């Protein structure tokens, strides 16, 4: 990895070469073990590539999300002849579907970056709530670039968020509103196979377990520390609650009441979902990211990002 260290252009070229190799190999080999054996080096490369970005925890985390998780899972699905990738795709759509790279927009988060200067005066839970808003704003700015890029290539790509702050249940939040490219990958790779063999509840729990393990891996990429299990516990808890929600919904309609008892009013349900998400995030999601100086490192990087864009804006204004 020495050749790729601290070099976004070199990693981008290497990832593009890996995508072209995956397309060529899968076009010559039938789905199954031979294709899997040919594509395993690509999966290994995608898992190792984020470590090339030693200069930035944020860039390393983004690379882990897009390369080590989404792209690697899609390559594994390609080996099985499933998923969004297909050797018959033209070269540009093949690359854009599998290995997405978009520049982040940070201007809309300027207010949060300013507030972070006074973080020592903020209560811990206030800071964590702001980090949650920051994470949503960042992803909501970054991920819409993917449909835009797909549209430029003549592809139809669904939006990646659907107003998650209006979710009426945990199932609604995770399955239909939040970061939809993740469930789009986990459904064919984890949920479908497990559900076919062990039932719907097992499929849901297995999906959340895999999501938790991948989030553990992303925290390791970001912090360069061993996993703590808190991310896995967070997602397993939410998976169990989604299963419980489904069971309660079935019980409500299966008791033979006509009409069945109504669910809580939507504003109440949405408030309960947001409170549960906030409480469990404060407890399990954010601590492994913020522990042992991680909070300070990430905030310093965001301050550097803000300074970069402010400097670039000032230079641009000189020519206007």
């Amino acid at each position: 990895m020495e050749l790729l260290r601290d070099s976004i252009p070199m990693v981008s070229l290497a990832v593009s070469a890996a995508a072209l190799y995956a397309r060529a190999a899968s076009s010559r080999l039938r789905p199954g073990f031979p294709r899997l054996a040919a594509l395993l080096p690509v999966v290994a490369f995608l898992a190792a590539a984020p470590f090339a970005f030693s200069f930035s925890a944020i860039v390393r985390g983004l690379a882990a999300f897009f390369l080590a998780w989404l792209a690697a899972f899609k390559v594994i699905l390609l080996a099985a002849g499933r998923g969004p990738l297909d050797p018959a795709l033209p070269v540009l759509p093949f690359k854009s579907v599998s290995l997405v790279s978009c520049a982040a927009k940070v201007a809309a988060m300027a207010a949060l970056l300013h507030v972070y200067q006074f973080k020592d005066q903020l209560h811990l839970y206030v800071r964590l709530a702001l980090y949650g808003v920051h994470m949503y704003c960042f992803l909501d700015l970054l991920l819409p670039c993917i449909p835009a890029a797909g549209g430029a290539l003549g592809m139809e790509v669904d939006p990646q968020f659907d107003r998650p702050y209006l979710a009426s249940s945990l199932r609604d939040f995770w399955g239909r509103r939040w970061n939809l490219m993740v469930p789009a990958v986990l459904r064919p790779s984890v949920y479908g196979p497990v559900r076919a063999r062990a039932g719907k509840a097992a499929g849901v729990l297995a999906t959340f377990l895999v999501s938790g393990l991948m989030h553990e891996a992303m925290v390791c990429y970001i912090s360069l520390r061993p996993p703590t299990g808190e991310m896995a516990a967070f997602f397993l808890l939410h998976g169990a609650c989604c299963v419980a929600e489904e069971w309660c919904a079935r019980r409500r309609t299966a008791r033979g009441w006509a009409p069945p008892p109504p669910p809580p009013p939507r504003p109440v349900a949405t408030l309960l979902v947001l409170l549960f998400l906030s409480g469990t995030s404060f407890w399990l999601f954010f601590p492994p990211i913020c522990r042992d100086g991680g909070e300070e490192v990430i905030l310093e990087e965001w301050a550097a990002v803000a300074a970069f864009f402010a400097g670039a804006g000032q230079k641009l204004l000189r020519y206007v």
Side-chain angles (χ1 to χ4, degrees):
M1 300 295 293
E2 290 295 327
L3 180 63
L4 304 181
R5 190 172 302 278
D6 294 357
S7 175
I8 292 176
M10 288 299 296
V11 172
S12 300
L13 288 174
V15 167
S16 298
L20 294 175
Y21 164 78
R23 180 178 183 273
S26 58
S27 66
R28 288 166 173 77
L29 298 171
R30 298 181 62 182
F33 182 77
R35 183 185 287 185
L36 176 62
L39 296 182
L40 278 179
V42 176
V43 176
F45 166 74
L46 294 173
F51 289 117
F53 302 112
S54 60
F55 62 93
S56 170
I58 294 174
V59 177
R60 201 162 52 243
L62 285 173
F65 175 67
F66 285 118
L67 301 180
W69 186 356
L70 295 185
F73 270 54
K74 291 180 180 180
V75 171
I76 293 172
L77 286 170
L78 175 64
R82 304 174 60 186
L85 298 182
D86 190 286
L89 283 173
V91 172
L92 285 179
F94 186 95
K95 288 169 59 179
S96 65
V97 170
S98 60
L99 308 169
V100 183
S101 176
C102 289
K105 302 176 184 178
V106 296
M109 297 179 286
L112 283 174
L113 294 174
H114 178 72
V115 171
Y116 292 158
Q117 299 176 16
F118 310 98
K119 69 179 182 67
D120 294 335
Q121 304 173 27
L122 300 175
H123 190 276
L124 173 62
Y125 288 169
V126 174
R127 295 206 313 271
L128 295 181
L130 292 177
Y131 297 157
V133 174
H134 188 152
M135 181 175 65
Y136 168 67
C137 291
F138 175 67
L139 292 175
D140 199 31
L141 287 168
L142 173 65
L143 298 182
C145 297
I146 297 169
L153 296 171
M155 302 163 53
E156 295 184 4
V157 184
D158 294 332
Q160 303 306 315
F161 286 91
D162 184 10
R163 296 170 297 175
Y165 46 83
L166 296 181
S168 59
S169 68
L170 288 175
R171 292 174 298 158
D172 184 32
F173 179 86
W174 291 115
R176 294 183 286 272
R177 291 185 179 274
W178 179 263
N179 199 2
L180 299 179
M181 63 172 57
V182 171
V185 170
L186 292 179
R187 282 193 189 101
S189 60
V190 180
Y191 176 74
V194 174
R195 179 182 180 179
R197 291 166 176 78
K200 186 174 183 180
V204 171
L205 290 175
T207 302
F208 275 89
L209 173 61
V210 171
S211 181
L213 294 176
M214 295 309 301
H215 278 82
E216 289 279 356
M218 285 197 295
V219 172
C220 293
Y221 280 113
I222 293 171
S223 64
L224 301 178
R225 296 192 301 267
T228 64
E230 290 162 291
M231 281 288 184
F234 172 85
F235 283 94
L236 272 178
L237 174 62
H238 279 252
C241 290
C242 287
V243 171
E245 276 187 354
E246 177 73 19
W247 182 84
C248 291
R250 289 202 309 268
R251 292 283 293 176
R252 191 170 61 242
T253 58
R255 291 190 175 186
W257 294 337
R266 189 178 184 91
V268 174
T270 298
L271 178 61
L272 291 175
V273 170
L274 293 178
L275 288 175
F276 184 78
L277 284 165
S278 300
T280 53
S281 296
F282 296 166
W283 174 32
L284 294 169
F285 188 91
F286 287 112
I289 300 174
C290 298
R291 189 177 293 129
D292 297 331
E295 178 181 9
E296 288 74 14
V297 170
I298 292 175
L299 291 181
E300 287 175 3
E301 289 194 13
W302 280 117
V305 169
F308 169 80
F309 277 96
Q314 291 175 358
K315 290 180 181 179
L316 184 62
L317 289 175
R318 296 175 185 174
Y319 297 99
V320 175

